[in-house]
């Protein structure tokens, strides 16, 4: 079987991403109003099964992928570390070989990015990155879809990131380099994204310390939890990030038509106030829903049906 892995946005490149976004927007529109569990008329992945391996918690990624493969005509199997043999030390490589015998694709959510790469190395079916400590490309596909649906174009867009230099920021920066938009990340020095990850922005991403400098004139303002999964709750980190909270006052410095995005789950009152996340500029609910639509396109791309 010819297949493609979606381990990073660069695996798809600008053309692949553009094709997936167009497909996601079209298919979402085409099935509007149907029951969520109804299979798309063309059932393009009929008979295909997706294995989902979770070594970290998830609400959106788990449910949106399960519904995505269902709407495409296929089905999903979920494994988590605690109840599978992975949790008892079976290797990722052996798991990859076994799952490839049962399923047509594997989605992995794990901590160490090297485990995702190992899964892809030993699997003989497409492997999809459902989040690692280094990146979260599926999330950014949904974010880009949400931005396009808000009427904004990607080239020349100005995105402001506030807070922790984490896996979600890393994928936004990668997207900026591929899709030609600009990212200004306001992060405390000690929690900035490493230079190597910023370099994925190919000159379109920079880090500043001042939150106001980052949001000035921004078209999109994005933040995420200050403590990611697997990180210890550290008072020192929360204190360093406090000045980076997205407030109405900060949003007022952005473009008047600026949109607010957050991958969720949110820690209301930490990285963002209720007034912003529930306010008129917030697109968090369409953003969350678009995980479903964007991942349908990712699945189809992995099987060579688009791009
Ligand atoms: N945004 C996101 O990936 O959410 P989950 O952790 O709930 O999957
Ligand atoms: N940065 C967050 C994203 C959660 C979807 C984490 O890794 O926990």
């Amino acid at each position: 079987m010819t297949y493609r892995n979606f381990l990073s946005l660069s695996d798809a490149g600008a053309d692949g991403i553009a094709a997936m976004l167009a497909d996601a927007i079209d298919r979402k529109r085409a099935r509007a109003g149907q029951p969520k569990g109804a299979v798309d008329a063309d059932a393009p992945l009929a008979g295909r099964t997706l294995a989902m391996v979770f070594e970290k918690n998830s609400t959106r990624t788990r449910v949106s992928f399960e519904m995505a493969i269902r709407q495409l005509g296929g089905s999903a199997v979920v494994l988590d570390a605690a109840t599978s043999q992975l949790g008892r030390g079976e290797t990722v490589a052996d798991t990859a070989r076994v799952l490839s015998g049962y399923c047509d694709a594997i989605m992995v959510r794990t901590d160490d990015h090297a485990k995702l790469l190992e899964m892809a190395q030993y699997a003989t079916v497409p492997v999809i990155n459902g989040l690692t400590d280094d990146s979260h490309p599926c999330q950014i596909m949904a974010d880009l879809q949400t931005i396009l649906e808000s009427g904004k174009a990607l080239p020349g867009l100005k995105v402001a990131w506030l807070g922790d230099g984490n896996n979600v920021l890393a994928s936004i920066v990668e997207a900026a380099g591929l899709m030609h938009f600009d990212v200004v990340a306001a992060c405390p020095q000690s929690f900035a994204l490493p230079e190597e990850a910023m370099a994925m922005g190919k000159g379109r991403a920079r880090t500043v310390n001042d939150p106001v400098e980052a949001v000035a004139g921004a078209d999109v303002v994005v933040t995420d939890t200050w403590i990611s999964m697997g990180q210890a709750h550290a008072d020192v980190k929360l204190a360093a990030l406090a000045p980076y909270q997205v407030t109405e006052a900060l949003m007022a410095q952005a473009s008047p038509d600026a949109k607010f995005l957050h991958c969720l789950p949110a820690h209301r009152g930490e990285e963002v106030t209720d007034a912003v996340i529930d306010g008129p500029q917030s697109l968090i609910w369409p953003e969350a829903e678009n995980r479903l639509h964007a991942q349908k396109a990712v699945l189809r791309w992995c099987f060579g049906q688009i791009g």
Side-chain angles (χ1 to χ4, degrees), residues 57-62 109 131 136 139 229 263-265 291:
N57 293 34
S58 171
T59 297
R60 278 146 289 271
T61 303
R62 177 174 172 168
R109 168 168 286 197
L131 179 147
H136 197 1
Q139 179 65 52
M229 291 182 280
C263 65
L264 304 178
R291 292 293 304 277

PDB file of all heavy atoms in Angstrom, residues 57-62 109 131 136 139 229 263-265 291, ligand 1:
ATOM      1  N   ASN A  57      -3.275  11.967  28.242  1.00  0.00           N
ATOM      2  CA  ASN A  57      -4.723  12.205  28.233  1.00  0.00           C
ATOM      3  C   ASN A  57      -5.162  12.922  26.956  1.00  0.00           C
ATOM      4  O   ASN A  57      -4.360  13.593  26.306  1.00  0.00           O
ATOM      5  CB  ASN A  57      -5.116  13.100  29.399  1.00  0.00           C
ATOM      6  CG  ASN A  57      -4.914  12.418  30.731  1.00  0.00           C
ATOM      7  OD1 ASN A  57      -3.996  11.631  30.895  1.00  0.00           O
ATOM      8  ND2 ASN A  57      -5.777  12.711  31.670  1.00  0.00           N
ATOM      9  N   SER A  58      -6.444  12.813  26.658  1.00  0.00           N
ATOM     10  CA  SER A  58      -7.004  13.543  25.514  1.00  0.00           C
ATOM     11  C   SER A  58      -8.519  13.537  25.564  1.00  0.00           C
ATOM     12  O   SER A  58      -9.119  12.526  25.937  1.00  0.00           O
ATOM     13  CB  SER A  58      -6.560  12.903  24.199  1.00  0.00           C
ATOM     14  OG  SER A  58      -7.261  13.486  23.121  1.00  0.00           O
ATOM     15  N   THR A  59      -9.120  14.619  25.183  1.00  0.00           N
ATOM     16  CA  THR A  59     -10.558  14.671  24.915  1.00  0.00           C
ATOM     17  C   THR A  59     -10.774  14.911  23.419  1.00  0.00           C
ATOM     18  O   THR A  59     -11.365  14.090  22.710  1.00  0.00           O
ATOM     19  CB  THR A  59     -11.224  15.798  25.734  1.00  0.00           C
ATOM     20  OG1 THR A  59     -11.070  15.492  27.119  1.00  0.00           O
ATOM     21  CG2 THR A  59     -12.711  15.923  25.407  1.00  0.00           C
ATOM     22  N   ARG A  60     -10.271  16.053  22.924  1.00  0.00           N
ATOM     23  CA  ARG A  60     -10.502  16.438  21.531  1.00  0.00           C
ATOM     24  C   ARG A  60      -9.869  15.476  20.528  1.00  0.00           C
ATOM     25  O   ARG A  60     -10.523  15.048  19.563  1.00  0.00           O
ATOM     26  CB  ARG A  60      -9.949  17.859  21.274  1.00  0.00           C
ATOM     27  CG  ARG A  60     -10.868  18.964  21.703  1.00  0.00           C
ATOM     28  CD  ARG A  60     -10.073  20.141  22.204  1.00  0.00           C
ATOM     29  NE  ARG A  60      -9.480  19.774  23.469  1.00  0.00           N
ATOM     30  CZ  ARG A  60     -10.083  19.959  24.654  1.00  0.00           C
ATOM     31  NH1 ARG A  60     -11.208  20.588  24.718  1.00  0.00           N
ATOM     32  NH2 ARG A  60      -9.526  19.548  25.782  1.00  0.00           N
ATOM     33  N   THR A  61      -8.601  15.166  20.718  1.00  0.00           N
ATOM     34  CA  THR A  61      -7.895  14.348  19.728  1.00  0.00           C
ATOM     35  C   THR A  61      -8.543  12.974  19.639  1.00  0.00           C
ATOM     36  O   THR A  61      -8.771  12.444  18.547  1.00  0.00           O
ATOM     37  CB  THR A  61      -6.410  14.250  20.120  1.00  0.00           C
ATOM     38  OG1 THR A  61      -5.899  15.590  20.210  1.00  0.00           O
ATOM     39  CG2 THR A  61      -5.618  13.457  19.101  1.00  0.00           C
ATOM     40  N   ARG A  62      -8.886  12.429  20.791  1.00  0.00           N
ATOM     41  CA  ARG A  62      -9.482  11.101  20.805  1.00  0.00           C
ATOM     42  C   ARG A  62     -10.851  11.090  20.125  1.00  0.00           C
ATOM     43  O   ARG A  62     -11.121  10.272  19.238  1.00  0.00           O
ATOM     44  CB  ARG A  62      -9.617  10.609  22.244  1.00  0.00           C
ATOM     45  CG  ARG A  62     -10.294   9.276  22.270  1.00  0.00           C
ATOM     46  CD  ARG A  62     -10.347   8.641  23.607  1.00  0.00           C
ATOM     47  NE  ARG A  62     -11.198   7.464  23.462  1.00  0.00           N
ATOM     48  CZ  ARG A  62     -11.310   6.517  24.351  1.00  0.00           C
ATOM     49  NH1 ARG A  62     -10.618   6.586  25.455  1.00  0.00           N
ATOM     50  NH2 ARG A  62     -12.112   5.500  24.144  1.00  0.00           N
ATOM     51  N   ARG A 109      -0.276   9.518  20.361  1.00  0.00           N
ATOM     52  CA  ARG A 109      -0.040  10.651  21.276  1.00  0.00           C
ATOM     53  C   ARG A 109       0.916  10.164  22.339  1.00  0.00           C
ATOM     54  O   ARG A 109       0.602   9.222  23.082  1.00  0.00           O
ATOM     55  CB  ARG A 109      -1.336  11.159  21.903  1.00  0.00           C
ATOM     56  CG  ARG A 109      -1.074  12.123  23.045  1.00  0.00           C
ATOM     57  CD  ARG A 109      -2.268  12.886  23.518  1.00  0.00           C
ATOM     58  NE  ARG A 109      -2.637  13.922  22.576  1.00  0.00           N
ATOM     59  CZ  ARG A 109      -3.434  14.946  22.858  1.00  0.00           C
ATOM     60  NH1 ARG A 109      -3.945  15.071  24.076  1.00  0.00           N
ATOM     61  NH2 ARG A 109      -3.727  15.858  21.960  1.00  0.00           N
ATOM     62  N   LEU A 131       0.165  14.492  18.886  1.00  0.00           N
ATOM     63  CA  LEU A 131       0.835  15.358  19.885  1.00  0.00           C
ATOM     64  C   LEU A 131       2.002  14.605  20.510  1.00  0.00           C
ATOM     65  O   LEU A 131       1.871  13.438  20.898  1.00  0.00           O
ATOM     66  CB  LEU A 131      -0.103  15.823  21.011  1.00  0.00           C
ATOM     67  CG  LEU A 131       0.476  16.715  22.136  1.00  0.00           C
ATOM     68  CD1 LEU A 131      -0.576  17.700  22.649  1.00  0.00           C
ATOM     69  CD2 LEU A 131       1.038  15.899  23.293  1.00  0.00           C
ATOM     70  N   HIS A 136       2.498  19.496  17.631  1.00  0.00           N
ATOM     71  CA  HIS A 136       1.071  19.136  17.596  1.00  0.00           C
ATOM     72  C   HIS A 136       0.495  19.557  16.231  1.00  0.00           C
ATOM     73  O   HIS A 136      -0.350  20.443  16.147  1.00  0.00           O
ATOM     74  CB  HIS A 136       0.345  19.837  18.745  1.00  0.00           C
ATOM     75  CG  HIS A 136      -0.999  19.268  19.086  1.00  0.00           C
ATOM     76  ND1 HIS A 136      -1.546  18.175  18.437  1.00  0.00           N
ATOM     77  CD2 HIS A 136      -1.934  19.650  19.999  1.00  0.00           C
ATOM     78  CE1 HIS A 136      -2.739  17.911  18.955  1.00  0.00           C
ATOM     79  NE2 HIS A 136      -2.995  18.785  19.895  1.00  0.00           N
ATOM     80  N   GLN A 139      -3.381  19.865  15.499  1.00  0.00           N
ATOM     81  CA  GLN A 139      -4.015  21.050  16.076  1.00  0.00           C
ATOM     82  C   GLN A 139      -3.868  22.246  15.148  1.00  0.00           C
ATOM     83  O   GLN A 139      -4.812  23.020  14.942  1.00  0.00           O
ATOM     84  CB  GLN A 139      -3.365  21.372  17.433  1.00  0.00           C
ATOM     85  CG  GLN A 139      -3.945  22.602  18.104  1.00  0.00           C
ATOM     86  CD  GLN A 139      -5.403  22.413  18.490  1.00  0.00           C
ATOM     87  OE1 GLN A 139      -5.733  21.435  19.141  1.00  0.00           O
ATOM     88  NE2 GLN A 139      -6.270  23.330  18.078  1.00  0.00           N
ATOM     89  N   MET A 229       1.045  18.768  29.521  1.00  0.00           N
ATOM     90  CA  MET A 229       0.976  17.410  30.072  1.00  0.00           C
ATOM     91  C   MET A 229       2.390  16.859  30.272  1.00  0.00           C
ATOM     92  O   MET A 229       3.237  16.987  29.387  1.00  0.00           O
ATOM     93  CB  MET A 229       0.187  16.502  29.128  1.00  0.00           C
ATOM     94  CG  MET A 229      -1.281  16.838  29.087  1.00  0.00           C
ATOM     95  SD  MET A 229      -2.206  15.715  28.025  1.00  0.00           S
ATOM     96  CE  MET A 229      -1.860  16.408  26.395  1.00  0.00           C
ATOM     97  N   CYS A 263      -5.961  26.010  21.815  1.00  0.00           N
ATOM     98  CA  CYS A 263      -6.186  24.618  21.424  1.00  0.00           C
ATOM     99  C   CYS A 263      -7.072  23.877  22.415  1.00  0.00           C
ATOM    100  O   CYS A 263      -7.675  22.871  22.066  1.00  0.00           O
ATOM    101  CB  CYS A 263      -4.861  23.900  21.248  1.00  0.00           C
ATOM    102  SG  CYS A 263      -3.916  23.731  22.777  1.00  0.00           S
ATOM    103  N   LEU A 264      -7.136  24.361  23.656  1.00  0.00           N
ATOM    104  CA  LEU A 264      -7.877  23.735  24.757  1.00  0.00           C
ATOM    105  C   LEU A 264      -7.202  22.400  25.155  1.00  0.00           C
ATOM    106  O   LEU A 264      -6.628  21.766  24.285  1.00  0.00           O
ATOM    107  CB  LEU A 264      -9.343  23.502  24.401  1.00  0.00           C
ATOM    108  CG  LEU A 264     -10.128  24.755  23.953  1.00  0.00           C
ATOM    109  CD1 LEU A 264     -11.569  24.355  23.576  1.00  0.00           C
ATOM    110  CD2 LEU A 264     -10.150  25.822  25.049  1.00  0.00           C
ATOM    111  N   PRO A 265      -7.257  21.949  26.359  1.00  0.00           N
ATOM    112  CA  PRO A 265      -8.030  22.540  27.456  1.00  0.00           C
ATOM    113  C   PRO A 265      -7.409  23.831  27.976  1.00  0.00           C
ATOM    114  O   PRO A 265      -6.177  23.964  28.010  1.00  0.00           O
ATOM    115  CB  PRO A 265      -7.993  21.451  28.540  1.00  0.00           C
ATOM    116  CG  PRO A 265      -6.727  20.694  28.278  1.00  0.00           C
ATOM    117  CD  PRO A 265      -6.540  20.718  26.789  1.00  0.00           C
ATOM    118  N   ARG A 291     -11.017  20.323  14.530  1.00  0.00           N
ATOM    119  CA  ARG A 291     -10.134  19.174  14.678  1.00  0.00           C
ATOM    120  C   ARG A 291     -10.707  17.992  13.894  1.00  0.00           C
ATOM    121  O   ARG A 291      -9.985  17.243  13.241  1.00  0.00           O
ATOM    122  CB  ARG A 291      -9.984  18.794  16.162  1.00  0.00           C
ATOM    123  CG  ARG A 291      -9.223  19.804  17.009  1.00  0.00           C
ATOM    124  CD  ARG A 291      -7.766  19.898  16.613  1.00  0.00           C
ATOM    125  NE  ARG A 291      -7.104  18.617  16.663  1.00  0.00           N
ATOM    126  CZ  ARG A 291      -6.592  18.061  17.773  1.00  0.00           C
ATOM    127  NH1 ARG A 291      -6.645  18.728  18.916  1.00  0.00           N
ATOM    128  NH2 ARG A 291      -5.992  16.888  17.725  1.00  0.00           N
TER     129      ARG A 291
HETATM  130  N1  LIG B   1      -6.230  20.309  21.806  1.00  0.00           N
HETATM  131  C1  LIG B   1      -6.101  19.012  22.101  1.00  0.00           C
HETATM  132  O1  LIG B   1      -5.284  18.304  21.536  1.00  0.00           O
HETATM  133  O2  LIG B   1      -6.966  18.563  23.051  1.00  0.00           O
HETATM  134  P1  LIG B   1      -6.943  17.130  23.772  1.00  0.00           P
HETATM  135  O3  LIG B   1      -5.736  17.108  24.661  1.00  0.00           O
HETATM  136  O4  LIG B   1      -8.214  17.084  24.537  1.00  0.00           O
HETATM  137  O5  LIG B   1      -6.852  16.066  22.729  1.00  0.00           O
END
